[in-house]
């Protein structure tokens, strides 16, 4: 596959370009700017399948999923980043949550998430939809016994504006985000300045402003193009180094063993009492949209030493 000379790949990307969900990182060779293109299709569709979200709720969750993929791909060590926007009673959206986990080898991202809302959700600024809510960012790595947690102000009228401030503050470098989401795709473009390199400022001292203006011309339909094609269109006069894309997968398998362990922790008496009152035990895994049902036979399975059965 031939490419214009201004796009340079440090790793071959052709084998992944047809994949459904990817995040593609890049940097400007002659500017102190890096970025990423995130394109979630199949992964995003699996996340909201069967949820029956209001359109505005669904689209906000999609934007949060796209941001989570951007930040997850930038983790310096493998770990799991969780983003939880908790709404207050005054807003129609009470919860947006996305987990993004980087695999041990760092060659893929695992994503899952959910939302809660009530009634019709009309288009409105973010602070109105969440009702003066708050965003909790949590990062768990293998090296830390407890997760790092930080509350992020919901300052701004959109998910993009909130995370522009968060990412600018956390890295001490200006950042910009353009996010789009609908039922088929959650996608976006991320840009951030890097610590100054020796020659970059002399090449184009207005580079950051110019690149932002070019990025602002991005159209939703362009995010359906391969990332390299998109970048060539947006930044046709710049030399870019495009890295091999990272696949992003929806990861929410059923976990019967985890649910059984939870029931064991409740104890024989509590489990038997629930069965006696309701006739069955129903456990909902909201973030993965799974349901687990158990009848009276679960007593003998979980507590064989109890020596009694439920009648």
């Amino acid at each position: 596959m031939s490419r214009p000379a201004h796009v340079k790949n440090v790793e071959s990307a052709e084998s992944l370009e047809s994949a459904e969900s990817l995040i593609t990182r890049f940097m400007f060779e002659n500017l102190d700017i890096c970025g990423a293109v995130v394109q979630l299709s199949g992964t995003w569709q699996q996340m909201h399948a069967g949820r029956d979200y209001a359109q505005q709720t669904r689209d906000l969750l999609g934007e949060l999923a796209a941001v989570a993929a951007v930040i997850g791909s930038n983790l310096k060590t493998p770990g799991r980043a969780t983003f939880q926007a908790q709404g207050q009673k005054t807003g129609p959206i009470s919860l947006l949550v996305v987990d993004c986990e980087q695999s041990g080898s760092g060659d893929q991202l695992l994503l899952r998430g959910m939302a809660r809302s009530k009634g019709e959700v009309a288009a409105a600024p973010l602070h109105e939809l969440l009702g003066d809510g708050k965003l909790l960012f949590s990062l768990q790595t293998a090296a830390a016994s407890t997760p790092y947690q930080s509350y992020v102000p919901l300052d701004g009228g959109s998910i993009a504006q909130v995370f522009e401030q968060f990412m600018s503050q956390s890295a001490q470098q200006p950042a910009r985000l353009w996010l789009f989401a609908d039922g088929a795709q959650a996608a976006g473009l991320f840009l951030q300045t890097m610590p100054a390199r020796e020659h970059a400022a002399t090449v184009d001292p207005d580079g950051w402003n110019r690149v932002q203006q070019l990025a602002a011309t991005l159209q939703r339909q362009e995010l359906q193009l391969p990332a390299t094609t998109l970048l060539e269109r947006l930044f046709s006069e710049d030399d870019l180094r495009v890295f091999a894309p990272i696949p992003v997968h929806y990861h929410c398998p059923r976990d019967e063993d985890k649910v059984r362990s939870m029931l064991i922790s409740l104890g024989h008496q509590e489990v038997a009492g629930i069965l006696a009152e309701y006739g069955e035990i129903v456990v909902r895994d909201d973030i993965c949209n799974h349901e687990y049902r158990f009848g009276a036979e679960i007593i003998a399975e979980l507590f064989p030493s109890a020596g009694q059965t439920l009648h």
Side-chain angles (χ1 to χ4, degrees):
M1 178 177 177
S2 61
R3 302 185 186 279
H6 65 273
V7 172
K8 303 177 183 179
N9 281 15
V10 296
E11 299 178 61
S12 176
E14 285 86 345
S15 62
L16 286 173
E17 281 192 344
S18 62
E20 285 189 324
S21 299
L22 300 169
I23 181 160
T24 306
R25 297 168 63 185
F26 62 91
M27 63 181 292
F28 290 77
E29 293 280 31
N30 297 314
L31 298 172
D32 301 319
I33 302 170
C34 62
V37 176
V38 56
Q39 299 166 305
L40 311 178
S41 52
T43 296
W44 164 234
Q45 292 165 30
Q46 287 178 281
M47 186 184 295
H48 72 80
R51 301 282 195 168
D52 196 28
Y53 292 137
Q55 178 182 332
Q56 189 71 10
T57 303
R58 179 202 66 198
D59 294 352
L60 281 178
L61 181 63
E63 292 179 11
L64 184 58
V67 173
V70 169
I71 295 177
S73 70
N74 279 320
L75 293 179
K76 292 181 172 60
T77 58
R80 184 179 69 189
T82 301
F83 307 86
Q84 180 171 310
Q86 192 80 38
Q88 302 299 318
K89 293 180 180 179
T90 55
I93 298 177
S94 59
L95 181 67
L96 299 169
V97 58
V98 175
D99 274 351
C100 183
E101 186 173 358
Q102 193 179 98
S103 68
S105 55
D107 59 356
Q108 64 177 333
L109 296 177
L110 307 177
L111 212 61
R112 63 179 187 169
M114 61 164 286
R116 288 199 191 108
S117 61
K118 54 189 176 184
E120 292 297 320
V121 182
L126 186 66
H127 68 272
E128 293 182 17
L129 295 172
L130 288 168
D132 194 29
K134 56 187 177 182
L135 176 70
L136 172 63
F137 168 65
S138 177
L139 176 61
Q140 179 69 69
T141 63
S145 57
T146 58
Y148 164 81
Q149 293 187 331
S150 173
Y151 283 98
V152 180
L154 289 177
D155 294 335
S158 67
I159 294 289
Q161 290 175 3
V162 169
F163 277 92
E164 282 175 353
Q165 294 186 53
F166 169 64
M167 298 170 87
S168 296
Q169 292 171 5
S170 61
Q172 298 297 304
Q173 298 289 147
R176 291 295 310 275
L177 275 165
W178 290 264
L179 300 172
F180 304 90
D182 56 21
Q185 187 183 39
L189 173 66
F190 165 65
L191 292 174
Q192 188 164 44
T193 62
M194 301 184 296
R197 287 175 290 172
E198 226 172 90
H199 66 289
T202 60
V203 173
D204 187 351
D206 195 46
W208 176 236
N209 289 331
R210 179 178 60 81
V211 167
Q212 288 182 80
Q213 291 173 8
L214 292 172
T217 67
L218 177 67
Q219 300 296 311
R220 180 188 297 257
Q221 61 270 22
E222 290 180 297
L223 284 162
Q224 299 176 6
L225 299 170
T228 49
T229 304
L230 168 62
L231 293 171
E232 288 163 5
R233 286 192 178 189
L234 285 177
F235 310 115
S236 59
E237 301 302 318
D238 290 282
D239 290 333
L240 300 176
R241 184 179 298 267
V242 183
F243 299 88
I246 301 171
V248 185
H249 303 289
Y250 178 69
H251 185 70
C252 242
R254 290 181 65 86
D255 194 343
E256 298 272 353
D257 290 340
K258 182 178 180 179
V259 177
R260 282 176 165 80
S261 295
M262 182 271 293
L263 294 177
I264 291 172
S265 70
L266 292 178
H268 173 269
Q269 186 174 353
E270 180 72 15
V271 172
I274 295 172
L275 285 167
E277 183 174 358
Y278 298 102
E280 66 175 349
I281 294 174
V282 180
V283 179
R284 285 285 311 167
D285 178 354
D286 287 337
I287 195 168
C288 289
N289 205 25
H290 296 319
E291 185 175 88
Y292 302 85
R293 290 180 175 269
F294 304 94
E297 70 282 350
I298 197 66
I299 289 285
E301 179 184 335
L302 299 181
F303 309 102
S305 61
Q308 65 182 86
T309 58
L310 190 72
H311 297 286

